Amino acid sequence: DHLAKVPTPFHVFYADRALEDARSLEKGLRTRLQKPEFFYSTKTNPLPHLLQEVLALGWGLEAVGAENLRAAIESGAKGNQILFNGAAWIKQELERAIFELGISHFSVDSPDMVDLLAAVLENSQCRPLNLAIRLHDGESHFGFPLEKMALEYPLSRIPADRVASWGFQIHRNPQSSSLSKEQIKQDFRQRCERVKRALLLLGQTNETDPISFLDFGGGIDSPYVYRVSPGELGSFHNPNEAEAFRSSLPSERFSLFEAGSAVAEAIHEELGHQWCQQRILFEPGRSVCTRALSTVIEVRAVKNLYPDAQLLITDGSTSFLGPLHRGIHPLWPKGNRRTFVYGCLPHSGDWLFQAVNLPQLKRGDRLLIEHTGAYFLPLESDFGHAKPGILSCKKDEWIRTPKTR
């Protein structure tokens, strides 16, 4: 009830939800894997309070670029708790990461990045590094192709005394959310297949030489939000098709424990028991932080333009709620009045929800958008709207104060 007095719009931060989901995913992965390691994907939601909670679990942080690295350090992460990914490092970033911050986990994405790393390490002293060679996933523009000479290049270019261990990183980001455990298993079977092909090209017959660990990246979805694929966007964005599209999806999906156990089963089935004894890294993002935030907005005007529908103008905006255009998020209160929800920007692209069922509402009523924790904060802007405050549900205090408009 006290939230009814808080000026809108604002986010609510739920640390307990994020921790519950992280623990569930980890428990599922540990059903088959003996040495899983977890590095939360900082780019998905870099909120300092969230990063601190994840670190307290014993997880590390995965950072991409200088801004993610700054967020990780300011949240209290030490060098050995950071995995530094990057497709486009600059020399100063690498030098700071290695020599000043003591980071020892890196992935290399291309021969240029290998050459840059070799140049930074030349004639210098540092602790040996854990290096993962990113494998091309067959779809994106990132990673080394599955060719013998390409995979051998990093191994020969970086001096052996500068490397503590070599690994393969294989990351795929499915275009839409998985609807079943079997879809999750199929995704990770495909990742494992590329790992097997890469090991075969190197002539590796055991689990230690030269590749001794695997990094499966992220791509494990949250079951609480359905992420719409590019091919489905036409229906999702069409007011006449949106309701039918949503209703075509299953009402219940898998739990995060089931997702983690499905991943572990796929790795065990494809790579065998021995690889399940080795270090296997994961970089979860959406699966951990999706439920960490919810957003409250207020109705500013109601337009009954159609006999069978209401149109709500709210103080929300796609400037800070843009990912609503790619995901299906729960919206409260529920009702039976066909409703279109718009933000405060005066153009038709600022829609938040198409053809959802709400009660008949009036000016001053509030809407709760659940599970806005993944990518909403890093993608927000000040375009036409100040960034909302963030209120901690746990401590009932602002962890980011609202800005005046």
Side-chain angles (χ1 to χ4, degrees):
D1 291 338
H2 70 283
L3 293 181
K5 300 178 181 179
V6 177
T8 57
F10 62 91
H11 302 294
V12 184
F13 172 57
Y14 300 92
D16 57 338
R17 293 181 178 180
L19 296 180
E20 178 185 349
D21 290 347
R23 291 189 183 106
S24 295
L25 179 64
E26 179 176 344
K27 186 177 180 180
L29 288 163
R30 288 189 183 278
T31 56
R32 291 282 191 177
L33 308 180
Q34 298 300 309
K35 299 178 182 179
E37 298 179 21
F38 302 92
F39 294 83
Y40 167 71
S41 175
T42 304
K43 64 181 179 295
T44 316
N45 185 331
L47 187 66
H49 289 69
L50 175 59
L51 302 188
Q52 291 162 9
E53 296 282 359
V54 170
L55 287 169
L57 273 182
W59 287 28
L61 301 177
E62 180 258 346
V64 178
E67 186 61 23
N68 278 182
L69 190 56
R70 180 195 61 78
I73 295 300
E74 290 182 357
S75 297
K78 307 301 182 183
N80 62 354
Q81 296 174 296
I82 298 173
L83 189 160
F84 197 28
N85 283 327
W89 290 318
I90 61 174
K91 185 178 181 182
Q92 292 86 342
E93 285 179 348
L94 272 183
E95 290 175 336
R96 179 170 182 261
I98 295 171
F99 304 119
E100 181 181 336
L101 301 177
I103 296 174
S104 59
H105 277 84
F106 296 84
S107 68
V108 288
D109 173 76
S110 67
D112 280 350
M113 293 300 101
V114 172
D115 291 342
L116 178 60
L117 181 59
V120 167
L121 294 175
E122 189 176 8
N123 300 321
S124 60
Q125 297 296 321
C126 67
R127 61 192 293 187
L129 306 179
N130 300 284
L131 300 178
I133 303 168
R134 180 167 181 174
L135 303 179
H136 190 270
D137 64 4
E139 297 176 358
S140 72
H141 301 290
F142 301 100
F144 285 81
L146 296 188
E147 299 170 2
K148 181 178 174 59
M149 290 184 61
L151 297 177
E152 288 178 339
Y153 183 74
L155 301 173
S156 61
R157 184 72 174 86
I158 307 294
D161 62 349
R162 302 303 176 90
V163 181
S165 62
W166 281 105
F168 280 147
Q169 182 188 71
I170 175 65
H171 174 75
R172 288 185 73 248
N173 188 14
Q175 291 295 306
S176 64
S177 295
S178 298
L179 294 175
S180 67
K181 291 185 293 182
E182 187 54 39
Q183 281 189 333
I184 296 173
K185 288 184 71 173
Q186 183 58 31
D187 172 37
F188 275 81
R189 287 190 189 107
Q190 292 175 4
R191 302 190 200 199
C192 290
E193 184 60 35
R194 300 191 78 78
V195 168
K196 289 192 292 186
R197 287 176 58 190
L199 292 171
L200 184 63
L201 287 167
L202 291 179
Q204 181 164 330
T205 58
N206 57 43
E207 293 78 31
T208 59
D209 186 25
I211 303 301
S212 62
F213 73 92
L214 302 175
D215 179 351
F216 281 96
I220 302 175
D221 264 305
S222 168
Y224 301 100
V225 169
Y226 180 78
R227 190 160 46 93
V228 181
S229 73
E232 296 167 327
L233 286 176
S235 295
F236 183 52
H237 286 214
N238 188 320
N240 298 317
E241 300 178 20
E243 187 174 7
F245 171 74
R246 288 193 304 271
S247 64
S248 69
L249 301 173
S251 57
E252 293 186 7
R253 291 163 68 196
F254 45 84
S255 68
L256 280 169
F257 172 80
E258 290 172 322
S261 60
V263 170
E265 288 171 14
I267 294 172
H268 182 265
E269 291 168 5
E270 293 296 321
L271 299 180
H273 176 72
Q274 292 303 316
W275 269 108
C276 291
Q277 307 290 315
Q278 302 301 114
R279 294 174 60 225
I280 298 186
L281 281 56
F282 296 92
E283 304 165 22
R286 293 186 187 91
S287 54
V288 173
C289 70
T290 290
R291 291 202 305 148
L293 288 183
S294 289
T295 306
V296 179
I297 59 177
E298 185 174 285
V299 176
R300 294 299 174 88
V302 180
K303 297 185 177 183
N304 293 298
L305 300 180
Y306 312 102
D308 63 339
Q310 63 181 336
L311 188 150
L312 307 180
I313 306 298
T314 72
D315 58 0
S317 171
T318 48
S319 64
F320 66 90
L321 294 170
L324 289 177
H325 283 194
R326 280 295 308 271
I328 298 176
H329 293 253
L331 178 65
W332 299 91
K334 298 296 184 182
N336 54 17
R337 178 80 162 137
R338 193 164 184 254
T339 305
F340 298 85
V341 184
Y342 280 77
C344 60
L345 300 179
H347 61 77
S348 58
D350 198 34
W351 63 266
L352 307 179
F353 290 89
Q354 297 272 34
V356 291
N357 292 321
L358 301 179
Q360 179 65 50
L361 297 174
K362 63 183 183 304
R363 177 180 173 86
D365 287 337
R366 294 189 168 194
L367 303 177
L368 173 66
I369 308 169
E370 287 199 286
H371 313 331
T372 55
Y375 290 105
F376 281 78
L377 292 189
L379 294 177
E380 68 182 354
S381 74
D382 289 317
F383 177 68
H385 208 295
K387 295 177 181 178
I390 303 174
L391 188 67
S392 170
C393 180
K394 182 178 180 180
K395 298 181 179 180
D396 196 19
E397 63 184 19
W398 291 109
I399 58 177
R400 186 176 81 178
T401 56
K403 298 179 180 179
T404 56
R405 280 176 249 166

